Amino acid sequence: AQKVTQAQTEISVVEKEDVTLDCVYETRDTTYYLFWYKQPPSGELVFLIRRNSFDEQNEISGRYSWNFQKSTSSFNFTITASQVVDSAVYFCALSEANYGQNFVFGPGTRLSVLP
Amino acid sequence: DGGITQSPKYLFRKEGQNVTLSCEQNLNHDAMYWYRQDPGQGLRLIYYSQIVNDFQKGDIAEGYSVSREKKESFPLTVTSAQKNPTAFYLCASSIQGARGTDTQYFGPGTRLTVL
């Protein structure tokens, strides 16, 4: 069965600090996709990244970076030099290519960036 | 602009009433989804549709109904059979639904409150 765990329920940092959000997943599939979404206070989920199970290269997009490690079944998300606008709930999600029908979302991590 | 619209943004319902939440997309996506989000929790799938005139139950379909008569539209009806309907409802769409691994893009959500 597919499962996503985000052990950090809430994180608070001071502006300009770096912060890492953890995501651990479980799957029996060899082909799967991992996603991160941001949910600001307005409520809409904003897509951030999609990675497939065959691409373990780390990815950087501006202040955002993602570390995918199949050996530990983790897909962690780091925000460098955090800003107040980064305050949101962040969701990690998993989708299996061969077994699952749809996405499985983690419970989310609420990030508060204090000025 | 291409995107997903949901209306209304806020909805109040008396107990025993059915209400319909609207979801429209102009992204030419085949698949559409409805999720429910309760405070402090992740997303749970209610219904999804991979193609016009076809839809499938998700994890928590009881008390809900949907239709997919047009590619652009996927309305959700919350019936009086839903025992605890107060929640935030999110609609999403993806290019193709058959694989279940395509990126889902979300609308702004509808917050339903039962009085």
Side-chain angles (χ1 to χ4, degrees), chain A residues 33 35 37 39 42-45 47 50 91 95-97 100-103 105-108 110, chain B residues 33 35 37 40-43 45 48 50 88 90 97 99-108:
Chain A
Y33 295 79
F35 303 80
Y37 287 86
Q39 186 177 39
S42 61
E44 179 175 351
L45 262 72
F47 165 70
R50 172 180 186 259
F91 290 96
S95 182
E96 295 176 334
Q101 287 292 317
N102 288 292
F103 282 28
F105 285 86
R110 179 176 299 277
Chain B
Y33 310 81
Y35 291 91
Q37 184 179 27
Q41 298 190 26
L43 279 69
L45 183 64
Y48 64 100
Q50 296 174 334
F88 188 54
L90 285 156
R99 292 199 306 265
T101 58
D102 292 320
T103 298
Q104 294 185 16
Y105 297 91
F106 286 80

Side-chain angles (χ1 to χ4, degrees), chain A residues 12-64:
Chain A
S12 289
V13 298
V14 177
E15 205 169 18
K16 297 184 183 178
E17 286 185 2
D18 298 348
V19 58
T20 295
L21 309 182
D22 297 334
C23 173
V24 174
Y25 61 92
E26 294 178 26
T27 179
R28 58 176 173 161
D29 208 336
T30 56
T31 303
Y32 52 90
Y33 295 79
L34 296 162
F35 303 80
W36 275 97
Y37 287 86
K38 173 182 180 180
Q39 186 177 39
S42 61
E44 179 175 351
L45 262 72
V46 178
F47 165 70
L48 297 178
I49 190 171
R50 172 180 186 259
R51 299 302 299 275
N52 72 61
S53 51
F54 299 107
D55 184 2
E56 286 193 73
Q57 280 192 333
N58 291 337
E59 179 150 345
I60 298 175
S61 176
R63 295 184 297 106
Y64 294 171

Side-chain angles (χ1 to χ4, degrees), chain B:
Chain B
D1 277 12
I4 302 172
T5 58
Q6 292 186 240
S7 61
K9 187 171 183 178
Y10 298 96
L11 185 57
F12 298 91
R13 187 194 95 172
K14 293 181 180 179
E15 283 194 27
Q17 284 183 337
N18 291 356
V19 291
T20 297
L21 283 58
S22 169
C23 177
E24 304 276 334
Q25 55 98 359
N26 60 5
L27 300 169
N28 200 31
H29 285 176
D30 286 326
M32 298 186 73
Y33 310 81
W34 273 106
Y35 291 91
R36 170 182 172 139
Q37 184 179 27
D38 292 285
Q41 298 190 26
L43 279 69
R44 292 184 291 169
L45 183 64
I46 304 173
Y47 267 98
Y48 64 100
S49 169
Q50 296 174 334
I51 197 169
V52 174
N53 292 323
D54 185 57
F55 49 83
Q56 307 294 330
K57 292 182 178 179
D59 301 320
I60 56 165
E62 184 174 352
Y64 300 98
S65 66
V66 294
S67 63
R68 186 86 187 277
E69 297 176 2
K70 298 187 300 182
K71 188 175 185 178
E72 306 78 29
S73 179
F74 191 40
L76 173 73
T77 297
V78 184
T79 74
S80 57
Q82 170 51 234
K83 298 304 179 187
N84 185 21
T86 294
F88 188 54
Y89 291 86
L90 285 156
C91 179
S93 70
S94 64
I95 293 176
Q96 293 181 354
R99 292 199 306 265
T101 58
D102 292 320
T103 298
Q104 294 185 16
Y105 297 91
F106 286 80
T110 292
R111 193 167 300 277
L112 173 63
T113 302
V114 173
L115 303 174

